[in-house]
């Protein structure tokens, strides 16, 4: 194997942006001539430009040095570089689910394969095989995982080309069935629960709050009249964390009847600003989502045939019933703490009756002209 040549690059002065002189760095990478504009000569001395040249070429040579080892496996790169880097930007909830998925599917399949040997064809065949047994969401996430890993491999210089941008989620991938409640089911859902769980239900259904946001509430986050809640933290498996995204940090408006339910409950919470609104058996700790669902909510809901309507269903129902009620999509999305695209594409489901009404409205708009005497 030919040894990779160490490069210093070529620092030059050229004219760019009209008559202004610029420092330009030229070098070769992968047999291709490349250049980088370092800065204007009028604002940067030659020694300053040379310092930037040295810093940049250090990265170029580091990438070239990595490419010199063609035998690195997918598993070695994943364990030695990729996961360490990706963990630094993941939240704990993301880290647990994503790393488990990567290890279970990708590491098991490609762990011993040489990183450079993985082609578009082999990666797409992997996704197609997964599509036969897993949901479209799982396959799509695996595609995103591969893209993140291979982008990093290119950035680190382990491979010259990234095959993953051309990957697609196969049509055969199963679309998981999703359900929402009707207005009647939503009313029954609330009435089936005891006071504490009823308040949690109303905050999820009418205020659009996530379960981690609800159970992470302390008295200091709730307005005195309970008309507003500030989302400043969330609960995830017993740990307090930042809200899921930047848009999740928000003030949530509380409707009148939900505020009345919440005020009645807050009398039992205590006056300390740090008191948990929904404390566990130990008042110093909040309730866990799985505990409140499986111990207190699901058994009651199963008695009325709504045991399937979990927190995910409540969130979709908030979006869907709000849409049917004519709530502005942007307002609804802001209330739930995510973008309007997610609100419409993921959470909002239109009922058959709503779609029938839309079809009737369109039909009448078109056919009504035939009924008017002056239509001719």
């Amino acid at each position: 194997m030919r040894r990779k040549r160490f490069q210093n690059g070529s620092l030059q002065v050229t004219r760019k942006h009209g008559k202004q002189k610029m420092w330009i760095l030229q070098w070769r990478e992968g047999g291709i001539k490349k250049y980088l504009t370092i800065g204007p000569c009028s604002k940067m001395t030659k020694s300053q430009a040379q310092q930037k040249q040295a810093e940049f070429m250090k990265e170029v040579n580091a990438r070239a040095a990595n490419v010199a080892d063609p035998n690195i496996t997918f598993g070695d790169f994943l364990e030695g570089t990729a996961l360490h880097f990706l963990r630094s930007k993941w939240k704990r909830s993301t880290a647990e689910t994503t790393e488990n998925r990567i290890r279970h599917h990708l590491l098991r399949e490609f762990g011993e394969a040489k990183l450079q040997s993985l082609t578009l064809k082999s990666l797409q065949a992997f996704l197609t095989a997964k599509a036969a047994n897993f949901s479209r969401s799982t396959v799509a996430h695996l595609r995103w995982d591969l893209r993140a890993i291979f982008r990093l491999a290119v950035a680190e210089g382990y491979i010259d080309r990234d095959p993953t941008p051309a990957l697609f989620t196969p049509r055969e991938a199963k679309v998981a069935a999703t359900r929402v409640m009707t207005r009647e089911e939503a009313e029954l859902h609330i009435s089936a629960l005891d006071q504490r769980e009823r308040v949690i239900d109303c905050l999820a259904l009418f205020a659009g709050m996530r379960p981690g946001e609800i159970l992470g509430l302390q008295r200091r986050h709730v307005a005195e009249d309970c008309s507003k809640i500030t989302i400043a933290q969330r609960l995830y498996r017993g740990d307090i964390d930042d809200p899921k995204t930047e848009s999740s940090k928000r003030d949530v408006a509380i409707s009148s009847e939900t505020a009345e339910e919440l005020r009645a409950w807050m009398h039992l919470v205590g006056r300390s600003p740090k008191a948990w609104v929904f404390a566990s058996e130990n008042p110093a700790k909040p309730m866990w989502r799985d505990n409140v669902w499986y111990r207190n909510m699901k058994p009651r809901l199963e008695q009325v045939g709504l045991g399937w309507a979990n927190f995910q269903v409540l969130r979709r129902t908030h979006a869907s019933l709000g849409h049917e009620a004519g709530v502005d999509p942007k307002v609804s999305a802001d209330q739930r703490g995510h973008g309007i695209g997610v609100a419409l594409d993921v959470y909002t489901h239109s009922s058959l009756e709503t779609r029938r009404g839309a079809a009737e409205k369109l039909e009448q708009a078109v056919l009504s002209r035939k009924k008017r005497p002056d239509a001719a």
Side-chain angles (χ1 to χ4, degrees), residues 11-44:
L11 185 65
Q12 301 177 13
V13 175
T14 187
R15 293 185 184 275
K16 197 172 183 181
H17 305 298
K19 296 182 179 181
Q20 188 175 23
K21 292 182 179 181
M22 307 291 289
W23 290 111
I24 301 293
L25 175 62
Q26 292 186 343
W27 77 100
R28 286 189 175 274
E29 193 167 359
I32 301 173
K33 191 174 183 179
K34 297 186 177 183
Y35 76 93
L36 172 75
T37 301
I38 293 181
C41 297
S42 60
K43 297 182 180 179
M44 185 180 297

Side-chain angles (χ1 to χ4, degrees), residues 174-185:
K174 302 173 183 177
V175 178
T178 57
R179 298 178 67 179
V180 298
M181 291 187 289
T182 64
R183 290 188 293 272
E184 294 75 18
E185 288 172 332

Side-chain angles (χ1 to χ4, degrees), residues 238-292:
D239 291 337
I240 292 298
D241 196 2
D242 293 332
K244 187 174 182 179
T245 63
E246 282 301 312
S247 59
S248 300
K249 300 175 183 177
R250 66 197 190 281
D251 287 334
V252 176
I254 306 301
S255 52
S256 57
E257 291 195 27
T258 298
E260 185 177 344
E261 291 272 5
L262 184 56
R263 281 194 296 272
W265 176 251
M266 292 299 287
H267 287 304
L268 307 175
V269 171
R271 300 303 305 174
S272 170
K274 294 185 178 181
W276 296 106
V277 175
F278 302 104
S280 64
E281 288 78 2
N282 180 353
K285 296 183 178 181
M287 298 182 69
W288 285 34
R289 182 189 67 175
D290 287 354
N291 287 346
V292 71

